[in-house]
Amino acid sequence: MEILSTTEADIRRAAEALRRGFLVAFPTETVYGLGADAFNQTALACVFAAKGRPRFDPLIIHIAALDTLDRLADLSALTPDLREKAAILTARLWPGPLTLILPKRSVVPDLATSGLPTVALRFPDHPAAQELIRLSTGALAAPSANLFGRLSPVRMEHVRDQLGEQVDFIIDGGRTAVGVESTVLDLSGGIPCILRPGGVSRGSIETLIGAVEFPGTSGESKLVSPGLLKSHYAPWTPLTLHSPEAIAALPYTAGEIFLFFSPATRNPWLAEQTRQGVVPPPERIWVLSDSGTTLAAAANLFDLLHELDYLGVSCIRAEEAPPMELGPAINDRLFRASGSIRGA
Ligand code: AMP
Ligand code: MG
């Protein structure tokens, strides 16, 4: 495995490797992707193998030009209403952290879509990612560059530590900006439906195309999106998820880490602990967002979880984010990181 930079020469090398069937991990605005030429079945098989990802979990194909969408997806199979919604979303939110599920064309290998008649497409908002896609084959299958079920990578080091020699090149673009995966929106059925909350909020989508469905994270999902398993994005350290009310009443226990959403929720809790004569060590108390915004919290989420996972503590007690903006995406990741262990 070789680490590359985002210089043009390095991106050219990586693109050439992709064209020859090698795997290249690269930064996007969401998380690092494990890229393979979307038209190369052998390379696709290597992606599943490198991640230990089951073949029933389809890959998102990353493109870097709007006309590639027509090559890979059959928009004529949509109702006129959904076709117009797709056009609005791609015009307004691409490039960006929004993945669209659309009827697929036969040029997309079944391996990439796990045999589904639909394909997941995204146009990432990252110059190095776009350059890499354009200089390779115009379409890269790129799931998050982590081992299946584990924390998503938001730095080159996270990819290196998890995938090591399973990947041929990693392009180092520093920490990713958005920090959580794309929102996955299904446009292939009757009503647009959010299959995975992510970097684009439900509100931003609804402002543009009207009401969308969101079955939610915790309900027994119908498994409409095959990869959305209950346990996912998991640190090695056990993690429990608590509502703001529940974590406020939770006493500090030695050996645990408390991860609050913001100083506004941490401070009253700290004051209460002190009042009861308990002084939690500062290095055991963390906040996801100093500013209290869900945007900053999302950007910090996986980076912090990677860091906390190295501390060798017995448990991470995490507080839910407020349910607006990127809050649902954060809570989805925390919920799955907890393996559905909901704390008191
Ligand atoms: P990841 O590659 O880790 O970002 O996960 C991509 C997710 O996108 C998968 O786990 C699926 O849940 C979803 N996905 C990809 N393709 C499809 C599809 N054709 N239909 C529904 N969901 C999809
Ligand atoms: Mg993933």
Side-chain angles (χ1 to χ4, degrees):
M1 183 261 296
E2 193 179 337
I3 311 284
L4 300 176
S5 72
T6 53
T7 58
E8 202 198 319
D10 272 8
I11 291 185
R12 275 188 190 285
R13 260 190 80 195
E16 172 61 25
L18 283 164
R19 268 188 269 123
R20 289 166 48 208
F22 289 94
L23 302 188
V24 176
F26 62 95
T28 75
E29 80 280 31
T30 59
V31 304
Y32 276 71
L34 178 61
D37 171 9
F39 306 113
N40 182 329
Q41 311 248 16
T42 314
L44 293 175
C46 288
V47 167
F48 285 99
K51 282 183 58 97
R53 179 169 173 134
R55 297 258 180 123
F56 63 72
D57 189 353
L59 307 174
I60 294 174
I61 299 194
H62 291 61
I63 61 175
L66 271 183
D67 51 16
T68 314
L69 181 138
D70 286 315
R71 268 177 59 213
L72 306 180
D74 182 8
L75 295 177
S76 72
L78 295 177
T79 60
D81 174 55
L82 284 174
R83 197 153 56 233
E84 193 191 332
K85 288 184 165 137
I88 294 171
L89 292 171
T90 54
R92 299 291 297 277
L93 297 178
W94 276 8
L98 174 70
T99 295
L100 298 179
I101 307 293
L102 297 163
K104 96 182 207 9
R105 288 194 193 274
S106 55
V107 65
V108 180
D110 288 333
L111 191 51
T113 64
S114 301
L116 293 172
T118 51
V119 61
L121 294 178
R122 180 165 112 77
F123 187 158
D125 186 14
H126 191 289
Q130 291 177 4
E131 194 68 3
L132 185 71
I133 295 165
R134 287 193 194 110
L135 291 173
S136 51
T137 59
L140 297 179
S144 51
N146 51 276
L147 292 173
F148 180 71
R150 311 256 53 112
L151 289 178
S152 300
V154 293
R155 292 180 188 274
M156 172 278 285
E157 291 82 356
H158 301 155
V159 183
R160 187 195 59 197
D161 293 351
Q162 284 199 48
L163 293 181
E165 295 308 318
Q166 307 266 52
V167 52
D168 300 298
F169 295 97
I170 307 175
I171 297 176
D172 183 2
R175 191 175 101 156
T176 64
V178 175
V180 289
E181 292 83 352
S182 59
T183 301
V184 178
L185 182 72
D186 188 359
L187 289 181
S188 71
I191 300 172
C193 179
I194 293 179
L195 302 183
R196 173 177 76 182
V200 169
S201 70
R202 179 183 187 171
S204 319
I205 295 171
E206 291 191 326
T207 305
L208 294 171
I209 62 164
V212 301
E213 286 186 339
F214 175 41
T217 293
S218 48
E220 292 302 316
S221 95
K222 300 172 274 169
L223 218 70
V224 273
S225 193
L228 295 185
L229 304 180
K230 257 192 176 170
S231 175
H232 210 124
Y233 312 109
W236 298 108
T237 312
L239 183 149
T240 59
L241 181 60
H242 308 264
S243 68
E245 301 74 42
I247 204 164
L250 208 61
Y252 175 73
T253 303
E256 294 182 348
I257 277 187
F258 276 64
L259 178 57
F260 288 94
F261 177 72
S262 70
T265 48
R266 175 200 56 194
N267 293 346
W269 176 85
L270 266 181
E272 177 58 21
Q273 301 304 306
T274 313
R275 210 181 58 75
Q276 297 197 11
V278 180
V279 184
E283 70 275 14
R284 294 288 193 247
I285 313 302
W286 295 71
V287 296
L288 212 44
S289 167
D290 277 324
S291 59
T293 65
T294 59
L295 210 67
N300 285 331
L301 179 68
F302 283 118
D303 207 16
L304 250 179
L305 289 178
H306 277 283
E307 200 176 330
L308 300 185
D309 215 10
Y310 275 106
L311 299 179
V313 297
S314 58
C315 184
I316 300 169
R317 305 273 183 207
E319 181 189 8
E320 280 173 7
M324 72 278 278
E325 294 154 350
L326 297 195
I330 295 166
N331 292 337
D332 171 85
R333 305 309 184 270
L334 286 173
F335 181 72
R336 293 179 206 282
S338 74
S340 318
I341 309 166
R342 191 165 270 272

